[in-house]
């Protein structure tokens, strides 16, 4: 079975540009999570969805970040405008269940973002 | 104080050694705990879940101490392939919060 799919795997962009990261969760999973990982801050939860509805976005750093989940098989994380400090690895994860953290989360391969 | 804290390491151990990591958490309402393994430039992958006092899977043993608010991961007979970063995570409510990870390097 296919795991969580993310695209692109690598993104290099210039400051001020819009960046869109994409995620396809594991089929049948009803919770989807967006994380950001840096050396300084570790792995941080940005936002999570349950049944396509955003449940908690308290981890979203600022208004430049937005996330959508238009259907059960697709989600996007958008940064507009991007800044160098947004450079990080962005992971998408999915799980099956009602709660946001009780069940095992399966991570995608991540998108390595570099903002110049 | 961070919600979940881990010693970043690195822990350098010889092959065959036993090594243990601790992870402390500050939220006493934490309900479930996880150990994830992350290889360099890869995604985290679940190693073990801990819902009660502990869990064991082959060479790996996780123990939970709710009174002192920490969980530990013990690796026996370490292999070269165990070299990775080990992330501790806990759930208190609806979100999974991770520690910064502990790096393990197993040497021949």
């Amino acid at each position: 079975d296919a795991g969580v799919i993310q695209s692109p795997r690598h993104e290099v962009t210039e400051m001020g540009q819009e960046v869109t990261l994409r995620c396809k969760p594991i089929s049948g999973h009803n919770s989807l999570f967006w994380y950001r990982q840096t050396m300084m801050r570790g792995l941080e939860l940005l936002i999570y969805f349950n049944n396509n509805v955003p449940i908690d976005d308290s981890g979203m750093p600022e208004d430049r970040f937005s996330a959508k989940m238009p259907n059960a098989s697709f989600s996007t994380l958008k940064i507009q405008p991007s800044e160098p400090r947004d450079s990080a690895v962005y992971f998408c994860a999915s799980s099956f269940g009602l709660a946001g953290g009780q069940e095992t989360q399966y991570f995608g391969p991540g998108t390595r973002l570099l903002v110049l | 104080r961070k919600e979940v804290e881990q010693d970043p390491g690195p822990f350098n151990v010889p092959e065959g050694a036993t090594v243990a990591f601790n992870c402390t958490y500050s939220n006493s309402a934490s309900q479930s705990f996880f150990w994830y393994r992350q290889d360099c430039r890869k995604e985290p992958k679940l190693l073990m879940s801990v819902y009660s006092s502990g869990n064991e899977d082959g060479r790996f043993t996780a123990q939970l101490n709710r009174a002192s608010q920490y969980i530990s991961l013990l690796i026996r007979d370490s292999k070269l392939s165990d070299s990775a970063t080990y992330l501790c995570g806990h759930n208190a409510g609806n979100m999974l919060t991770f520690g910064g990870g502990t790096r393990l390097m197993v040497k021949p």
Side-chain angles (χ1 to χ4, degrees), chain B residues 30-107:
Chain B
S30 298
Q31 300 166 359
S32 51
F33 303 84
F34 305 88
W35 281 103
Y36 278 76
R37 171 195 169 125
Q38 186 173 24
D39 292 295
C40 187
R41 302 181 72 82
K42 298 286 187 181
E43 71 272 23
K45 293 185 178 179
L46 182 69
L47 177 67
M48 192 173 290
S49 305
V50 185
Y51 295 105
S52 57
S53 61
N55 196 3
E56 183 171 334
D57 183 5
R59 298 184 294 109
F60 299 85
T61 301
Q63 291 199 324
L64 170 62
N65 185 319
R66 287 192 184 274
S68 301
Q69 295 187 197
Y70 75 85
I71 60 171
S72 63
L73 178 66
L74 181 77
I75 305 175
R76 290 179 296 276
D77 187 23
S78 53
K79 313 290 185 189
L80 297 177
S81 57
D82 293 334
S83 297
T85 296
Y86 291 83
L87 299 168
C88 155
H90 83 109
N91 163 257
N94 289 328
M95 293 197 300
L96 186 57
T97 304
F98 286 95
T102 297
R103 189 175 172 201
L104 170 66
M105 298 185 69
V106 181
K107 304 290 179 65

